[in-house]
Amino acid sequence: MTKTSEELALMAESGRLLASVFALLDRTPLAGLSTLQVDELVEDYIVHDLEARPASLGQYGYQFVLNASVNQVVCHGVPSQSDVLREGDIVNFDITLEKNGYIADSSKTYLVGAVKPAARRLVKTTYDAMWKGIEAVRPGAHLGDIGWAIERHAKRNGYSVVREYCGHGIGRDMHEEPQILHFGKPGTGLALREGMVFTIEPMLNHGRRYVRTEPDGWTVVTKDGSLSAQFEHTVAVTASGVSVLTLRPEEAARMAS
């Protein structure tokens, strides 16, 4: 479950490249685009500009490079030409990238145009909850500390945490040990060690936490039809705490200020 310094350097490069994919989406007007058009844009950029591999393409039989989860879709939304993004939508793009044999995984929920305050607040709280989890990462901390920090922040703000899906170890394979739950009790679970690399990717619902899978076998939606949001970073446990391998340019600038 731990990576060498050489492996961490390669993973950091994959993470840097993946962060640039989100920078591309940040400057792309999303309203009016279909989720399939976004998928094609990202595939072209990863393959031709970054000379990397979209790691989700073909995995488990999946035929696209990203998940596009709109509004009440919790995760694993399948890109479609008929699924056009409209003013007021929220949409999570979950993207993976492999370079030099190592994979990075990250996601971001975007506000499409003018979004209602309730949706905007859900998205911000989800982002902040992810960071609460990241801030709990350090050698000697426990997996339960991460989940507890996330769930506490969500509940304090009136939101529920989806329990069916979790973060995961990552490296040469997309899904490695350990599993990173987004709920838990402090001081419980596996102790963190320097060199561990995993994702933290909470999904928060505006309503109840329960979800169901659509007939396509991929798309997961809230059972009560409420909005859902998600954010994700790939992180490494360092000697002094944590390094966010998929840190995006605007986040790095904000942290440095």
Side-chain angles (χ1 to χ4, degrees):
M1 280 189 283
T2 58
K3 306 294 190 291
T4 66
S5 57
E6 291 80 9
E7 289 176 311
L8 287 171
L10 291 171
M11 293 204 69
E13 174 63 6
S14 296
R16 184 187 70 81
L17 294 178
L18 182 52
S20 76
V21 178
F22 287 95
L24 169 68
L25 292 177
D26 289 346
R27 58 181 182 266
T28 300
L30 295 174
L33 291 181
S34 71
T35 53
L36 182 60
Q37 286 176 304
V38 177
D39 182 85
E40 291 168 345
L41 172 70
V42 168
E43 180 175 12
D44 182 74
Y45 184 71
I46 291 175
V47 172
H48 296 108
D49 292 72
L50 302 181
E51 298 181 338
R53 184 180 74 86
S56 296
L57 182 61
Q59 187 180 45
Y60 310 128
Y62 192 70
Q63 297 302 308
F64 302 91
V65 304
L66 56 76
N67 295 133
S69 302
V70 184
N71 295 330
Q72 78 280 7
V73 179
V74 176
C75 60
H76 304 163
V78 179
S80 169
Q81 189 61 48
S82 61
D83 196 2
V84 177
L85 297 172
R86 293 179 170 81
E87 185 95 1
D89 285 339
I90 62 172
V91 56
N92 177 270
F93 294 118
D94 190 345
I95 307 170
T96 61
L97 179 151
E98 180 190 331
K99 183 76 172 182
N100 299 316
Y102 287 89
I103 299 170
D105 189 358
S106 187
S107 84
K108 177 177 178 177
T109 297
Y110 284 84
L111 308 174
V112 182
V115 172
K116 291 181 179 179
R120 185 178 296 273
R121 182 174 179 272
L122 170 65
V123 171
K124 182 182 185 306
T125 303
T126 306
Y127 181 72
D128 292 343
M130 175 191 67
W131 277 102
K132 293 291 184 183
I134 291 172
E135 290 162 5
V137 175
R138 64 184 184 280
H142 293 260
L143 290 180
D145 300 334
I146 299 172
W148 179 77
I150 291 168
E151 186 175 38
R152 180 178 64 164
H153 188 73
K155 286 187 172 180
R156 281 180 171 178
N157 285 276
Y159 301 118
S160 61
V161 178
V162 173
R163 294 192 170 207
E164 286 81 357
Y165 302 93
C166 62
H168 50 86
I170 189 169
R172 285 192 174 275
D173 294 321
M174 176 87 72
H175 297 113
E176 300 179 352
E177 292 297 326
Q179 293 188 341
I180 312 298
L181 302 182
H182 302 121
F183 58 94
K185 295 181 179 180
T188 64
L190 185 71
L192 303 183
R193 303 191 301 273
E194 182 180 356
M196 284 182 171
V197 182
F198 49 80
T199 70
I200 296 176
E201 48 182 297
M203 305 165 199
L204 269 58
N205 293 347
H206 192 273
R208 304 186 72 186
R209 69 174 179 86
Y210 303 105
V211 301
R212 62 178 176 83
T213 303
E214 297 277 74
D216 65 8
W218 291 105
T219 307
V220 178
V221 299
T222 56
K223 269 193 175 180
D224 59 11
S226 63
L227 292 177
S228 186
Q230 181 189 17
F231 283 89
E232 175 185 13
H233 271 312
T234 297
V235 305
V237 183
T238 67
S240 58
V242 62
S243 175
V244 181
L245 302 183
T246 48
L247 193 70
R248 296 185 274 274
E250 78 277 7
E251 293 174 313
R254 186 163 59 247
M255 292 174 68
S257 62

